[in-house]
Amino acid sequence: MSEKTQFGYQEVPMEEKQGRVDDVFHSVARRYDIMNDLMSGGLHRLWKNAMVSWLAPPHSGRPYRVLDMAGGTGDIAFRISDRSRGHAEITVADINGSMLEVCRERAEKHGYTNLSYAEANAEELPFEDKSFDAYTIAFGIRNVPRLDRALSEAYRVLKPGGRFLCLEFTPVSTPVIAQLYEAYSFRVIPMIGQVVTGDRESYQYLVESIRVFPNKERFAGMISDAGFERVSYRDYTTGVVALHSGWKL
């Protein structure tokens, strides 16, 4: 019997999920940044700033290599480049070619020359062991079919002393906030998706995918199980988003 996984609220064969996720992001790539602003009220910008501030990439010294997985349209990579004053060498990796193309176009427009690109699966990274000083992933890991494999690969490609940072929506634990967030997510976000992109179903999936993602404590445990140490997390915006950190020591 084929192994099953969640695609939003649907249970699908493991081998089908990635193709379905790819279809979602091919559909929304050109309007992805606009939708992020509309869905979060612009807060995603502050969350991403907080992520890169916690990473604190150096702006001098030996080369500092970063893998920005599920790098999408480049928001995290550009922030790391700015924060490091162009010192960081950043590989933007994404399984979706449409998203990478948007990133390339934005990078060329704004003059980022310290970026390279790789169309890559988080579960099977095409990079050598101990290649990177940091691995970042923002709002992408919940779309990976096998979280344990993605975390294991992140650990493998990091150098000793390397840092793992993951920014992700998370199930809200405070009852009142959870009810308000639930109503907004399921009633408003798919409607915005329909109006802005003509694609309600993709945004319905994105909302559902948040609900089935592990809570903060369970995800922290998974990061530890992959071998990372000093695992911790920070909450943002009443727990709507969590930023997890781990070190390869």
Side-chain angles (χ1 to χ4, degrees):
M1 182 178 292
S2 177
E3 186 179 358
K4 300 287 187 178
T5 190
Q6 294 297 128
F7 178 78
Y9 285 167
Q10 300 176 52
E11 189 175 73
V12 299
M14 186 69 73
E15 62 272 13
E16 287 185 15
K17 177 172 180 175
Q18 193 61 65
R20 293 195 181 198
V21 170
D22 288 350
D23 289 343
V24 167
F25 285 94
H26 283 307
S27 171
V28 304
R30 293 287 164 184
R31 298 291 184 94
Y32 186 70
D33 294 316
I34 295 172
M35 282 300 301
N36 280 343
D37 279 328
L38 291 172
M39 289 190 302
S40 72
L43 288 172
H44 75 101
R45 298 174 184 270
L46 300 180
W47 301 330
K48 292 169 181 174
N49 289 344
M51 180 184 197
V52 175
S53 291
W54 204 13
L55 177 65
H59 48 77
S60 61
R62 65 176 179 82
Y64 185 76
R65 299 194 64 208
V66 181
L67 174 61
D68 184 34
M69 191 64 222
T73 58
D75 273 4
I76 297 299
F78 300 159
R79 282 169 168 79
I80 293 172
S81 180
D82 292 342
R83 181 66 183 257
S84 71
R85 302 177 191 173
H87 177 68
E89 300 172 1
I90 307 160
T91 300
V92 182
D94 203 297
I95 200 169
N96 189 284
S98 298
M99 298 291 280
L100 278 179
E101 185 58 34
V102 174
C103 182
R104 284 193 189 95
E105 291 172 6
R106 292 181 72 201
E108 290 175 6
K109 179 180 178 180
H110 296 289
Y112 290 101
T113 59
N114 55 330
L115 273 60
S116 59
Y117 307 92
E119 193 165 331
N121 186 333
E123 296 180 5
E124 299 179 64
L125 294 174
F127 309 113
E128 295 182 0
D129 296 358
K130 304 175 184 177
S131 296
F132 297 96
D133 298 286
Y135 175 115
T136 58
I137 183 166
F139 305 120
I141 204 162
R142 74 181 189 278
N143 299 308
V144 175
R146 300 173 179 86
L147 289 177
D148 56 342
R149 291 192 186 182
L151 292 169
S152 177
E153 279 291 89
Y155 187 86
R156 179 184 66 79
V157 301
L158 280 171
K159 300 175 183 178
R163 181 86 176 276
F164 170 85
L165 275 179
C166 177
L167 181 67
E168 189 56 88
F169 290 109
T170 185
V172 178
S173 56
T174 306
V176 174
I177 300 298
Q179 290 175 6
L180 292 172
Y181 186 47
E182 188 90 357
Y184 172 74
S185 297
F186 283 95
R187 295 179 184 177
V188 178
I189 289 177
M191 181 179 65
I192 294 174
Q194 178 64 43
V195 172
V196 176
T197 70
D199 184 354
R200 183 185 184 91
E201 290 185 3
S202 291
Y203 286 92
Q204 184 74 27
Y205 157 72
L206 292 174
V207 169
E208 292 176 0
S209 68
I210 296 168
R211 296 302 176 276
V212 299
F213 190 71
N215 64 29
K216 295 180 282 287
E217 292 77 14
R218 184 180 164 207
F219 187 53
M222 296 178 73
I223 296 170
S224 296
D225 289 345
F228 290 100
E229 298 183 44
R230 292 168 55 191
V231 175
S232 61
Y233 63 82
R234 296 176 176 178
D235 281 332
Y236 296 99
T237 316
T238 66
V240 168
V241 166
L243 176 57
H244 283 77
S245 170
W247 295 85
K248 181 176 179 177
L249 300 178

